[in-house]
Amino acid sequence: MHYSAGNYEAFARPRKPDGVEDKTAWFVGAGLASLSGAAFLIRDAQMSGDKITIFEELDLPGGALDGIKEPKKGFVIRGGREMETHFECLWDLFRSIPSIEQDDASVLDEYFWLNNDDPNFSLRRVTMEQGVDAGTDFKFKLTDKAQKDIVRIFLATREEMENKRIEDVVSEEFLNSNFWLYWRTMFAFENWHSALEFKLYLHRFIHHIKGLPDLSTLKFTKYNQYESLVLPLYKWLLDHGVTFRFSTTVTDVDFTIDSTRKQATKIHYTTKGEEGSVDLGENDLVFMTIGSLTENSDEGDHQTPAKLDRGPAPAWDLWRRIAAKDPAFGHPDVFAGDIDKTKWESCTVTTLDKRIPEYIHKICERDPFSGKVVTGGIVTARDSSWLMSWTVNRQPHFKQQPSDQIVVWVYALFSDTPGDYVKKSISECTGEEITREWLYHMGVPTNQIDELAATAAKAVPCMMPYVTAFFMPRQHGDRPSVVPEGAVNFAFIGQFSESQSRDCIFTTEYSVRTPMEAVYTLLDIERGVPEVYGSTYDVRELLNATSRLRDGEEVKLPGPHLLREKLYGKFQENEVGKLISEYKLIEKP
């Protein structure tokens, strides 16, 4: 397996690998990683779909890419996915998956047209004092010291950031900046999360610094990710004969391991309480999704709080059993060993009439019933004790959503802090109480809040114990390589496997990249995996990011006016100087 950039290999069709007719494939989990891996086997390895089986604990595919209507509770989305132009592997996949919305179009075509016609950006990213614009002016407000924090982390080696928390490597001035407010609420970083992951994110998304304040570099699907991404891919796999075994929990995988070779030999599983197994030979390929950010999620309802489930967690317990068999298989408790550091709660609020949408309209300055971009991403209530954020995507967010309803996603980064209106932590709140707190920070008059929360909305809270597990401080080796050294017939895929690329986790891209690397490695596919977009090496992106981090403030050249003019003139005599001028980094005398 190798990486490639440009059109040469991107448009090439690989030839059929030798011996693929004799192979079968088994996937653990039916999240995006497994669905993508099965698609790459069919499209690029030219494996027959009827040779592929996917085991899934739940009774539907999609994993964390969810979106469903519960008959009694209402619409539920545990989280949303922010996507961008340079998710190279994701778009490489979905260019091949037919849309189920439009004839003669791929999912990528549909997505491209949608975001071209209705580009995303926010008109109000931050509020305070009950729905008032926080006056950030879309600026970062980074002091010189805070700017140096970012530069130092950017230039540090990965090893220097291992096992460190963000709060260990930045100043209070950085933590109090608008930059950190935008960043932490958009990506769900806590102060105690991994400095290494923060560094990787800086490199991966340096080209998004300019759009971080107004979210203008983000793109979204038409509906929730289950209907827009999972269903077309699931249908395509079914059409190609892939077998799905739902309500089936993989409990263990056996291996034979020696100093040079590792082979998976048996899969153990239970289906509705009955045990079963699959014997594996060299031609049986196993792709294991390890860990899970949505494992043990619990939903409440409008009158019932969600519960924090600290009990057995099948996806994590499977990885623990596997990891005990070889040091190369990672260390799951680095990520899943402290639930209080990895949990937070979200809530899906469905408005039932037009009373609450009037307040949404007031804040986002767009009609939420227009069918176009509404908030343009999350709106954060800066002075919320929960550090609450909320978003309204294009409506309807579900195909079966009534035209007079709006689906809103609310989340709190601080799970255990009492609220400002309800005086309870979000983890203690019913859906109705969370709605009250949200309405308060939206600026609804306090004498109307309780009535609107009770009669104008229906809310489903969801507590997720492991939702930011992959952000815990870590070091090399804590996540296993996608294909460990010596592995002949198995791979680890998903957010907790280690890609050899420069990519970062908590993205749909990573969920597609890791199975692509796995398939291309185990079957020696005659095509490169698309490399991560090289913005971190592009001087134009670096200069643009530098200018934006300074909020456009130019550097003044030292010395008297005539000397400054002479120095500035010298800058104009070479390409670097022209770039510095173009991005307005140095003030013209």
Side-chain angles (χ1 to χ4, degrees), residues 30 36 111 242 248 256 347 385 404 420 501 516 519 528 543 561 578 580:
S36 302
Y111 182 90
V242 174
T248 298
T256 57
C347 184
S385 297
D404 60 346
D420 302 291
S501 69
M516 192 177 196
V519 169
L543 291 174
H561 181 74
K578 291 177 181 177
I580 289 173

Side-chain angles (χ1 to χ4, degrees), residues 272-324:
K272 297 179 180 178
E274 294 188 10
E275 295 183 358
S277 64
V278 177
D279 291 321
L280 307 170
E282 275 193 42
N283 284 329
D284 293 297
L285 307 179
V286 185
F287 301 88
M288 294 168 276
T289 305
I290 51 174
S292 169
L293 74 160
T294 53
E295 188 78 347
N296 284 12
S297 297
D298 184 77
E299 295 170 5
D301 57 35
H302 205 56
Q303 304 301 333
T304 310
K307 298 176 183 177
L308 178 60
D309 185 351
R310 297 179 183 270
W316 291 102
D317 293 338
L318 170 63
W319 186 10
R320 290 184 178 104
R321 294 185 193 102
I322 290 172

Side-chain angles (χ1 to χ4, degrees), residues 151-185:
V151 173
R152 187 179 66 256
I153 294 167
F154 187 85
L155 295 176
T157 65
R158 291 176 62 136
E159 290 74 19
E160 288 177 286
M161 294 293 108
E162 288 186 341
N163 290 328
K164 291 182 179 177
R165 301 171 300 184
I166 294 167
E167 60 193 359
D168 294 335
V169 298
V170 299
S171 62
E172 281 296 318
E173 292 178 26
F174 173 85
L175 295 175
N176 291 328
S177 68
N178 286 349
F179 177 94
W180 184 235
L181 177 70
Y182 299 146
W183 188 283
R184 73 185 312 189
T185 53

Side-chain angles (χ1 to χ4, degrees), residues 215-257:
L215 305 171
S216 57
T217 48
L218 297 182
K219 293 174 172 59
F220 295 94
T221 53
K222 183 177 181 180
Y223 301 109
N224 60 81
Q225 288 81 51
Y226 181 78
E227 291 183 286
S228 288
L229 296 179
V230 173
L231 280 183
L233 182 52
Y234 177 51
K235 180 180 184 302
W236 188 85
L237 293 174
L238 289 176
D239 289 345
H240 281 79
V242 174
T243 298
F244 286 81
R245 298 183 63 172
F246 294 114
S247 302
T248 298
T249 302
V250 174
T251 56
D252 204 354
V253 179
D254 294 340
F255 302 85
T256 57
I257 299 172

